[in-house]
Amino acid sequence: EAGVAQSPRYKIIEKRQSVAFWCNPISGHATLYWYQQILGQGPKLLIQFQNNGVVDDSQLPKDRFSAERLKGVDSTLKIQPAKLEDSAVYLCASSSDRWGNTEAFFGQGTRLTVV
Amino acid sequence: KQEVTQIPAALSVPEGENLVLNCSFTDSAIYNLQWFRQDPGKGLTSLLLIQSSQREQTSGRLNASLDKSSGRSTLYIAASQPGDSATYLCAVRGNYGQNFVFGPGTRLSVLP
């Protein structure tokens, strides 16, 4: 089966600009996650969707970050305006969460550099 | 709040050695634990998933164990190879449907 697809792979923007990332999860996976991974650290959850509803966005900086999953399939994460500290890899993951199958699969990530 | 730590932060071994990576978590009420591998500049590859009711899982040269009561998991790699060089991350899920909390990872280098 196809894996989790993310685009773009790399993005360089100036501070205060806006940027958007796209994720297409594995077909049929109900749960979608966005994680932020700063260099040398483990991934940190930004937002979790179950179908098209938000399950957890407690760590999402809502003054500048937004995410949507309108039809319960693909998702977009936006940053506006970007800050230097937003430089990180943004990882999208999905899991089936059906019949107890909770294994998570990750995309290749989008490396964001804010200058 | 669940916290996950991994020891050591980095490890360098000669090829052929057996090695153990450690993962500790503060809240033993977990649903499952998953080990991942991350190559530089890449995403995460799932290695093993252990349900809370299981004690261990095996895949090839990898064996992961889980001791929920003590809040620990270990990843055992047998007969290490240079291709095993990567960062290894563990992640725990508190309840069915919750997100994964990650450790900081162990950076492994296997020298030929």
Side-chain angles (χ1 to χ4, degrees):
Chain A
E1 63 184 358
V4 176
Q6 289 189 246
S7 67
R9 285 296 314 278
Y10 307 93
K11 192 75 177 177
I12 300 175
I13 61 172
E14 295 182 350
K15 60 183 179 183
R16 292 188 289 274
Q17 284 187 326
S18 63
V19 63
F21 313 128
W22 175 82
C23 172
N24 190 18
I26 293 173
S27 177
H29 279 196
T31 306
L32 184 149
Y33 314 81
W34 283 102
Y35 282 86
Q36 179 192 59
Q37 186 178 26
I38 293 172
L39 188 64
Q41 299 180 18
K44 183 188 80 172
L45 180 77
L46 291 174
I47 190 167
Q48 177 185 351
F49 293 95
Q50 181 79 14
N51 296 310
N52 61 348
V54 175
V55 174
D56 185 350
D57 64 356
S58 58
Q59 299 183 83
L60 186 73
K62 298 181 185 65
D63 58 333
R64 298 184 301 106
F65 286 65
S66 65
E68 59 184 13
R69 192 185 185 198
L70 291 175
K71 297 182 179 179
V73 181
D74 56 353
S75 175
T76 302
L77 176 70
K78 297 180 181 177
I79 307 175
Q80 181 180 12
K83 293 185 176 181
L84 295 177
E85 59 261 36
D86 297 332
S87 294
V89 176
Y90 291 85
L91 295 163
C92 179
S94 70
S95 58
S96 169
D97 284 354
R98 293 195 178 106
W99 308 292
N101 187 347
T102 62
E103 187 173 5
F105 297 90
F106 280 76
Q108 293 278 55
T110 296
R111 181 176 298 277
L112 174 67
T113 302
V114 183
V115 298
Chain B
K1 179 186 172 185
Q2 180 73 270
E3 292 185 2
V4 181
T5 55
Q6 292 186 245
I7 294 173
L11 181 64
S12 185
V13 300
E15 181 177 5
E17 271 202 11
N18 303 323
L19 57 99
V20 174
L21 307 181
N22 297 290
C23 171
S24 298
F25 45 94
T26 55
D27 186 349
S28 62
I30 66 170
Y31 185 78
N32 59 32
L33 183 147
Q34 197 166 348
W35 281 93
F36 295 88
R37 168 187 173 138
Q38 186 172 33
D39 293 285
K42 299 290 180 66
L44 278 65
T45 300
S46 177
L47 296 174
L48 290 163
L49 173 71
I50 309 178
Q51 301 292 354
S52 62
S53 58
Q54 297 175 320
R55 298 281 297 186
E56 64 179 284
Q57 280 283 359
T58 298
S59 176
R61 294 183 294 108
L62 305 180
N63 177 278
S65 67
L66 174 64
D67 184 345
K68 245 182 39 167
S69 61
S70 66
R72 292 181 183 178
S73 176
T74 60
L75 179 67
Y76 175 83
I77 303 177
S80 58
Q81 303 171 358
D84 295 330
S85 298
T87 296
Y88 291 81
L89 298 139
C90 71
V92 298
R93 195 171 203 179
N95 281 302
Y96 186 85
Q98 282 190 340
N99 72 87
F100 291 87
V101 178
F102 279 84
T106 293
R107 191 171 67 254
L108 173 66
S109 296
V110 181
L111 307 174

